[in-house]
Amino acid sequence: MTASASTTWTVLTQAHAALRSVATAVSEAPAELWDARTPCQDWTVTQVLTHAAGDQRAYAAALTGTGGPTEDPFSPSAMRTADPVAEVTAATEAAAAAFAGVAPGAEAVPNPLPQGPMSAELAVGAAALDAAVHAWDVAMAIGAPSPLTADLAAALLPTAHTLVEPLRAWGVYGPVVPGATADPADELLRFLGRNPEWKA
């Protein structure tokens, strides 16, 4: 990852670290947890990791024109990758490198979302939101600590409030889960249709 990728887009760096941390946890967990159900559309851990890595490749490809996901992100494969850490690391590094070339304040940044080109801050936030929430999905499924910190969630909330409503129609996020909370992570998860109290 380049220096500009890790300093200019801190929220993306943090979200990518969260996704890589759960990939490592999966690689060290009992084999049966690959097939564990997650909070994400009842996909398995394998499917969520496949989907999350593919999404990061899609963001990179939208910016570079090459290296996109190899399968439908809405129908992720249940086939296990030989090395989830290597796959997730490669995907997040590709996205980080692509976004490193995007200037803060850019107003029409390509991305894979149906909304089309958007500001740099929104496009980066969207990629980070995707990585962080799927990291939470996997962590919950395997019984690992949540990687979605209060600071990261608070940084992602403005992006979610701007982008998510149109995406619900595409089935990307479920309806808001009711419940008042002062915890930014709980607030973000509920807004995205996740139940913060979900248990495997």
Side-chain angles (χ1 to χ4, degrees), residues 45-174:
V45 166
T46 302
Q47 289 173 301
V48 172
L49 281 177
T50 300
H51 168 86
D55 281 353
Q56 294 305 307
R57 290 190 182 280
Y59 278 98
L63 291 164
T64 65
T66 61
T70 58
E71 59 181 78
D72 179 357
F74 292 102
S75 183
S77 173
M79 293 183 64
R80 303 173 189 178
T81 178
D83 188 342
V85 179
E87 173 58 23
V88 168
T89 297
T92 55
E93 287 182 347
F99 276 114
V102 175
E107 296 181 355
V109 175
N111 65 84
L113 298 180
Q115 288 96 323
M118 59 186 62
S119 73
E121 287 71 17
L122 273 179
V124 168
L129 181 67
D130 189 283
V133 173
H134 288 315
W136 179 84
D137 289 330
V138 172
M140 295 304 97
I142 66 172
S146 172
L148 186 60
T149 65
D151 286 347
L152 179 56
L156 293 171
L157 272 166
T159 297
H161 288 150
T162 300
L163 292 181
V164 165
E165 289 302 340
L167 297 176
R168 293 193 202 278
W170 292 73
V172 177
Y173 298 104

Side-chain angles (χ1 to χ4, degrees), residues 14-69:
Q14 293 173 343
H16 283 168
L19 187 58
R20 289 194 296 272
S21 74
V22 297
T24 298
V26 170
S27 73
E28 296 171 350
E32 61 267 21
L33 289 181
W34 279 95
D35 299 318
R37 187 173 63 91
T38 74
C40 184
Q41 302 185 38
D42 289 329
W43 287 346
T44 66
V45 166
T46 302
Q47 289 173 301
V48 172
L49 281 177
T50 300
H51 168 86
D55 281 353
Q56 294 305 307
R57 290 190 182 280
Y59 278 98
L63 291 164
T64 65
T66 61

